[in-house]
Amino acid sequence: MAAVFDAFWRAVAYCLHPRVIALSLLPLAVAGGAAALLGWAYWASAVAAVRALLEQWSLVAALLQWLDSMGWAQLHALIAPLIVVALAVPVVVVVTLLLVAALATPAMVRLVAARRFGGLEARQGGSWWQSLAWSLACTLAAGAALVLSLPLWFVPPLALVLPPLIWGWLTYRVLAFDVLAQHASAAERRHLLRRERWPLLAMGVACGLLGAMPSLLWALSALTLIVAPLLMLVSVWLYTLVFAFAAAWFAHYLLAALQGLRALEAAAASVVVAPGPGLPLPLPLSSAAPPAAPSAAPPALLPPPP
């Protein structure tokens, strides 16, 4: 775990680097601009559509009547906006993560490699289309896990454990692949992902918990729903910072692990294997026996006696 904490503090320091701050601005501009534009154009219509859909369900009507009987009639206007926010936040998180992985992580890896691992060979074990396919496959798997685990979210302990675990798994799978795509070969990447899966999952869950913090902005007050499009933009900025930090954390940890793996392989290749018991040691070339002198010519045949 010492390597995990060492990479953590290095990533914290890198987040203050001007270039890292600049790298986080491009995903912020893309995701934040899209969120602000969609919120401005479709927020009111989305809330109205959800409210109209809820009014058609008898179960929701019974729930609203129960709220009226409890003196909470003012919550009627909050249910539809809360549902829209609950549906939009996971999409924003996934899009921000994929944008950071595609736009910021390769540059982050080059920065870390240049400043700390200058002698590390880049073996280009993954292409951009492999990274894209891997990210989409992991995203679909995480989305399926979220949908299938929704009934468990009503159990209080699991509601606090499952979302960070799923987001952490997705973060670790996406960022770990992108970090190793430039410098590790395919065999090295598979080996490191298998060997370091538990530390990487722990790092991903920690990033998942950090990624849940922007969602707490929506729980501050019901007034936050009034400025929901603006608050969504602030949330995208916070998500971008969290995932940029995660990219630096994974880059420091995995490149150090890759460097250690290659050092072990080089040390193993340089070891001279000793002969087994009962086998003679080879003589050095300088002490080898000199070649045998050529044998004397056979004596000439005497002429036969008369």
Side-chain angles (χ1 to χ4, degrees):
M1 294 299 291
V4 174
F5 288 109
D6 178 72
F8 175 85
W9 293 115
R10 291 179 184 273
V12 171
Y14 267 60
C15 287
L16 303 177
H17 195 280
R19 187 174 176 183
V20 175
I21 297 175
L23 287 175
S24 65
L25 294 179
L26 182 56
L28 172 62
V30 176
L37 182 61
L38 293 175
W40 175 78
Y42 298 105
W43 171 256
S45 58
V47 171
V50 171
R51 184 176 290 116
L53 182 62
L54 292 177
E55 291 175 352
Q56 298 176 3
W57 290 358
S58 57
L59 182 60
V60 175
L63 175 62
L64 295 179
Q65 292 177 2
W66 178 78
L67 291 176
D68 292 340
S69 64
M70 298 295 294
W72 296 338
Q74 65 274 14
L75 295 180
H76 287 192
L78 301 180
I79 294 179
L82 284 174
I83 293 176
V84 174
V85 169
L87 294 176
V89 166
V91 177
V92 171
V93 173
V94 171
V95 170
T96 306
L97 172 61
L98 295 181
L99 286 175
V100 169
L103 301 178
T105 300
M108 188 82 69
V109 171
R110 287 192 295 267
L111 176 64
V112 173
R115 293 172 62 90
R116 189 182 171 196
F117 305 99
L120 192 63
E121 179 188 358
R123 296 183 179 177
Q124 303 292 337
S127 59
W128 67 269
W129 62 267
Q130 288 176 317
S131 176
L132 178 61
W134 178 267
S135 299
L136 292 178
C138 293
T139 301
L140 292 176
L146 281 174
V147 173
L148 294 176
S149 64
L150 280 178
L152 300 177
W153 290 25
F154 294 98
V155 181
L158 295 180
L160 300 176
V161 174
L162 287 177
L165 184 61
I166 294 173
W167 293 128
W169 179 86
L170 177 61
T171 302
Y172 127 64
R173 298 293 287 181
V174 171
L175 292 183
F177 187 97
D178 288 339
V179 165
L180 293 174
Q182 295 182 11
H183 289 81
S185 64
E188 290 172 333
R189 183 184 68 243
R190 288 191 294 267
H191 176 75
L192 287 176
L193 289 180
R194 182 175 61 254
R195 191 189 73 182
E196 306 292 338
R197 59 184 179 273
W198 295 116
L200 292 175
L201 180 60
M203 294 165 58
V205 171
C207 295
L209 292 173
L210 290 175
M213 295 180 64
S215 301
L216 297 178
L217 294 174
W218 302 98
L220 293 177
S221 171
L223 296 177
T224 57
L225 296 176
I226 301 176
V227 291
L230 178 61
L231 195 59
M232 187 67 72
L233 181 61
V234 176
S235 299
V236 169
W237 174 63
L238 294 177
Y239 288 132
T240 304
L241 292 180
V242 168
F243 290 132
F245 160 76
W249 192 6
F250 278 82
H252 278 286
Y253 182 80
L254 285 172
L255 291 184
L258 178 61
Q259 186 180 53
L261 176 64
R262 291 183 181 174
L264 289 177
E265 291 177 350
S270 62
V271 172
V272 177
V273 180
L279 296 179
L281 290 172
L283 293 174
L285 293 179
S286 59
S287 62
S295 59
L301 295 178
L302 296 176

